[in-house]
Amino acid sequence: MANAYKIIVTGPFNSGKTTFVSTISDIAVVTTEKKITTEDRGIKNETTVAMDYGRVEIDGTVLHLSGTPGQTRFNFMWDILAREMNAFVLLVDSTDRPSFPDAAELISLFSGIHAVPYLVAANKSDLPGGASLEEVRRGTNAGSDVTVMPLVSTTKSSVRQVLLQVIELIEARK
């Protein structure tokens, strides 16, 4: 039987979590997107209120991907989704430096739930004005032992590279 892992995809509001899961999933993604009714509606029209769920098989390993809501008013879902996680991916919008402290808090929070491997993916790294990987590392307080890698969440090969790295981190701990 193939290995199967539960991966949490988390990050601040508008960091690309839903897109990440949707880009790579082999199944129709289960989403809980709702119209935004708060001051954030100028940024995008919909937000995740509970989770996004997708599944992908990469080189014989099945990954169950659970994307978290980015808005803190839905943070009660974070603990629920993190149960039995094998790793997490923290997405950060590399063009939105003011969101980096929120990302740092999420690293601390999810690391505190379970000691699992994780990495930081600097999304939108293809856009002008994106922070360097070193700026993302500093801004998120990711230690020198944490992988920080570029990501374009709309590109399947980019998402796949991040997930291959996550698989490697999980299997290195076995």
Side-chain angles (χ1 to χ4, degrees):
M1 188 173 123
N3 284 333
Y5 300 121
K6 179 179 179 181
I7 310 299
I8 299 301
V9 180
T10 193
F13 175 70
N14 202 39
S15 59
K17 300 173 295 294
T18 300
T19 303
F20 182 97
V21 174
S22 299
T23 296
I24 197 79
S25 184
D26 293 334
I27 63 169
V29 175
V30 177
T31 68
T32 58
E33 294 274 304
K34 297 294 176 203
K35 286 203 180 313
I36 294 179
T37 57
T38 64
E39 65 280 356
D40 293 324
R41 72 177 166 267
I43 299 169
K44 62 181 191 171
N45 294 326
E46 294 186 327
T47 192
T48 302
V49 296
M51 66 175 267
D52 297 310
Y53 172 78
R55 188 187 74 229
V56 62
E57 185 175 330
I58 298 177
D59 299 342
T61 299
V62 175
L63 300 177
H64 298 277
L65 305 173
S66 296
T68 67
Q71 293 184 310
T72 54
R73 63 191 173 125
F74 301 117
N75 65 3
F76 64 91
M77 285 301 300
W78 297 345
D79 282 336
I80 295 167
L81 292 172
R83 289 183 190 144
E84 299 176 8
M85 70 177 165
N86 297 105
F88 68 92
V89 175
L90 180 100
L91 265 54
V92 61
D93 177 345
S94 65
T95 67
D96 183 13
R97 287 170 179 82
S99 74
F100 292 3
D102 293 338
E105 285 181 37
L106 286 167
I107 289 173
S108 179
L109 182 120
F110 280 90
S111 295
I113 294 172
H114 296 299
V116 296
Y118 70 93
L119 60 77
V120 176
N123 193 23
K124 306 178 188 176
S125 59
D126 58 326
L127 298 178
S132 70
L133 296 181
E134 194 47 47
E135 285 177 278
V136 169
R137 179 181 303 283
R138 280 194 311 272
T140 60
N141 296 330
S144 58
D145 58 328
V146 176
T147 300
V148 178
M149 59 191 298
L151 169 68
V152 179
S153 65
T154 55
T155 305
K156 192 170 189 170
S157 61
S158 183
V159 174
R160 188 174 192 279
Q161 283 307 116
V162 169
L163 292 175
L164 283 168
Q165 186 66 41
V166 170
I167 292 168
E168 199 173 297
L169 291 171
I170 293 169
E171 294 187 347
R173 284 212 173 173
K174 282 185 168 182

